[in-house]
Amino acid sequence: MSELDFALEVERSVAHLRPSAPVRSGTLVRLVGLRLEARGIMAPIGSCCEVLGQFGRRIQAEVVGFSDKTLYLMPFSEPAGIGPGAVVRVLTESGQASLGPELLGRVIDGRGEPLDGKPKPLCSTRLGLSGLALNPMERGPIDRILDVGVKAINGLLTLGRGQRVGLVAGSGVGKSVLLGMVTRFTKADVVVIGLVGERGREVKAFITESLGAEGLAKSVVVAAPANVSPVLRLKAAHLAHVVAEYFRDQGKDVLLLVDSLTRVAHAQREIGLAIGEPPTAKGYPPSVFALLPSLIERCGVGRHGYGSITAIYTVLAEGDDASDPIVDIARASLDGQVMLSRKLADAAHFPAIDLIGSISRVMQNLLAPADLKEANRFRRLWSLYQQNSDLIQVGAYQAGSNPEIDQAIELRQAMDNFLRQDMHVGVDEMTARLELSHLLQT
């Protein structure tokens, strides 16, 4: 039985065990910052409610917490026109997503509503946004290479189908451009893209310029820009994951791109602080550090190798600080990271992938020993040159002092050319491997 069939069977089997419907309406009693407080109504966490204000004003909100007989709600839009005594009604008791192949080629928001001006996708399957946990002993191994069309990654940071990787960089270093390259050139069957908390301008630019019509045809885009409610941003992240899980359960190899994991953390921070959680490192409440690993663990190879979700999360290193708490938790939870360097970006070196600090933790399981040796050799020569660049630039290094440094100096320009790539040109994994082998044999 597939994961999807199992989830639907569980849903049917427990339907008759649910208690009778709770009180369906109550009244709004307070607004504190982003938090609405309602009484006289019963609803579980995650329920969607409707608040009826003056002059026919209606907004939707989600239940994010409670205290005694008071429900805490977070609105999906500005609560203008909503005042004390407004009626609060329960619409649904749990967040669910409509799933199906009809989503391919579409751009939707965190509630599954279309953003591309087309009719709403008519999908026949509905599942909860939280997905279905996998038994770790039933997961298949990561033993197949995923070709992403980026030479530096294919050759030196080889990714496997089902791997989870972080794309770590400060702002304006080229994360979105690199994501667009991966989206267009990947050999994955389906691409699911979660644009969470980014600028609205970048959403359209990514779809029209980076993704293109060809890339969009096999993709599902879930967008929740920075100006929408933190609840909608968080729902968009969960929706992107459950869409990826749906296609994985169809036996597809899915590539999930989330831009950015840091903005997901920011959304959870806003919600957590609004309902009274204590702030910890950099103001993040404890729920943030529970949310991120649980999201990441939803990806990977399916039961007994049935389908896979390869996930690439962009992680914003605020102030280029690699010890930022979100960078730390992501690095600890992921199967590797690709670091982008502002120094390389300032030198017009694109993609600005910095091999120092970048790693693929499953690469050794994917490559033949000879290919792995060549990749490690390249990384060592590149690192040696970077570590001694100051001495080399001022002429303090004496040729012949270290044979490896001599070779690194000799191959420096060739290595630099290997790491550069035009954003409109893809390089498959085999070609990257042949170029790497030829470079090291010269």
Side-chain angles (χ1 to χ4, degrees):
M1 179 182 293
S2 70
E3 296 168 30
L4 178 59
D5 293 336
F6 178 74
L8 294 174
E9 183 63 30
V10 170
E11 183 75 12
R12 286 191 292 267
S13 65
V14 302
H16 69 284
L17 299 177
R18 293 194 178 106
S20 57
V23 178
R24 308 306 297 175
S25 65
T27 55
L28 191 66
V29 296
R30 194 180 182 196
L31 168 63
V32 182
L34 299 175
R35 183 181 77 199
L36 303 176
E37 297 183 4
R39 288 187 178 175
I41 184 173
M42 296 174 60
I45 299 291
S47 298
C48 181
C49 299
E50 183 179 57
V51 184
L52 310 179
Q54 297 178 349
F55 310 111
R57 169 72 168 164
R58 296 167 181 258
I59 67 167
Q60 291 188 2
E62 182 173 306
V63 178
V64 294
F66 60 87
S67 176
D68 294 328
K69 296 181 180 180
T70 302
L71 284 186
Y72 298 152
L73 301 95
M74 189 77 70
F76 292 163
S77 57
E78 286 293 325
I82 303 298
V87 176
V88 181
R89 300 188 309 186
V90 177
L91 297 179
T92 61
E93 294 182 14
S94 62
Q96 289 193 324
S98 296
L99 306 170
E102 296 82 5
L103 292 173
L104 289 173
R106 301 301 305 273
V107 183
I108 57 178
D109 66 9
R111 290 177 286 181
E113 298 295 328
L115 294 175
D116 51 12
K118 300 177 183 179
K120 184 174 181 177
L122 300 177
C123 304
S124 58
T125 302
R126 291 186 64 83
L127 279 178
L129 289 175
S130 58
L132 183 67
L134 284 177
N135 183 334
M137 297 303 294
E138 294 181 351
R139 285 186 182 271
I142 302 175
D143 55 8
R144 294 178 297 148
I145 292 174
L146 177 67
D147 189 340
V148 296
V150 179
K151 185 164 45 173
I153 297 178
N154 280 341
L156 304 170
L157 301 165
T158 309
L159 303 184
R161 295 177 187 262
Q163 186 174 355
R164 294 82 52 87
V165 181
L167 196 57
V168 184
S171 58
V173 185
K175 297 187 300 298
S176 297
V177 173
L178 182 54
L179 278 185
M181 292 175 66
V182 171
T183 305
R184 287 196 304 274
F185 304 135
T186 183
K187 295 299 190 293
D189 300 322
V190 176
V191 180
V192 180
I193 304 163
L195 301 176
V196 181
E198 297 302 310
R199 292 180 286 271
R201 174 190 61 81
E202 291 187 339
V203 172
K204 185 172 183 179
F206 182 88
I207 294 169
T208 58
E209 299 170 14
S210 299
L211 191 56
E214 183 180 349
L216 182 60
K218 65 173 183 179
S219 304
V220 181
V221 180
V222 184
N227 63 322
V228 304
S229 162
V231 174
L232 281 182
R233 281 179 263 148
L234 196 57
K235 287 174 77 70
H238 284 292
L239 179 57
H241 283 77
V242 78
V243 170
E245 288 170 328
Y246 169 81
F247 284 107
R248 175 183 64 185
D249 195 61
Q250 308 304 309
K252 306 289 187 182
D253 287 317
V254 181
L255 177 63
L256 171 64
L257 307 175
V258 177
D259 186 15
S260 73
L261 193 66
T262 305
R263 304 301 186 196
V264 176
H266 288 178
Q268 180 61 38
R269 177 171 64 182
E270 291 179 50
I271 296 171
L273 294 178
I275 63 176
E277 276 194 84
T280 56
K282 272 200 171 181
Y284 291 105
S287 60
V288 171
F289 301 104
L291 169 69
L292 299 188
S294 68
L295 272 182
I296 292 169
E297 281 301 311
R298 294 174 65 172
C299 305
V301 181
R303 277 194 176 89
H304 311 297
Y306 189 74
S308 67
I309 301 175
T310 306
I312 300 180
Y313 299 92
T314 66
V315 184
L316 179 64
E318 296 184 357
D320 292 334
D321 181 9
S323 62
D324 180 272
I326 302 303
V327 176
D328 277 344
I329 191 68
R331 195 158 37 199
S333 305
L334 295 167
D335 303 318
Q337 66 269 350
V338 178
M339 308 292 291
L340 299 187
S341 165
R342 187 173 300 278
K343 182 179 178 181
L344 290 174
D346 290 343
H349 181 293
F350 295 106
I353 296 175
D354 188 357
L355 295 181
I356 299 175
S358 298
I359 188 173
S360 171
R361 294 195 177 104
V362 302
M363 186 173 172
Q364 66 275 11
N365 302 328
L366 303 171
L367 299 182
D371 292 334
L372 182 62
K373 184 177 180 180
E374 286 183 340
N376 288 338
R377 179 66 178 164
F378 184 105
R379 289 171 59 92
R380 177 166 174 77
L381 292 175
W382 177 263
S383 298
L384 278 173
Y385 185 89
Q386 299 304 316
Q387 292 165 5
N388 294 275
S389 61
D390 290 342
L391 294 176
I392 295 169
Q393 295 297 327
V394 301
Y397 174 75
Q398 296 294 322
S401 301
N402 186 314
E404 282 192 311
I405 297 179
D406 292 341
Q407 187 180 12
I409 296 172
E410 180 184 353
L411 295 177
R412 189 261 175 189
Q413 188 58 53
M415 291 191 294
D416 188 78
N417 292 338
F418 180 86
L419 293 173
R420 293 174 184 259
Q421 185 174 333
D422 188 293
M423 65 178 289
H424 301 291
V425 179
V427 179
D428 62 58
E429 192 263 341
M430 185 60 68
T431 302
R433 197 74 56 205
L434 290 173
E435 283 190 33
L436 178 61
S437 180
H438 178 72
L439 183 153
L440 293 175
Q441 290 173 6
T442 54

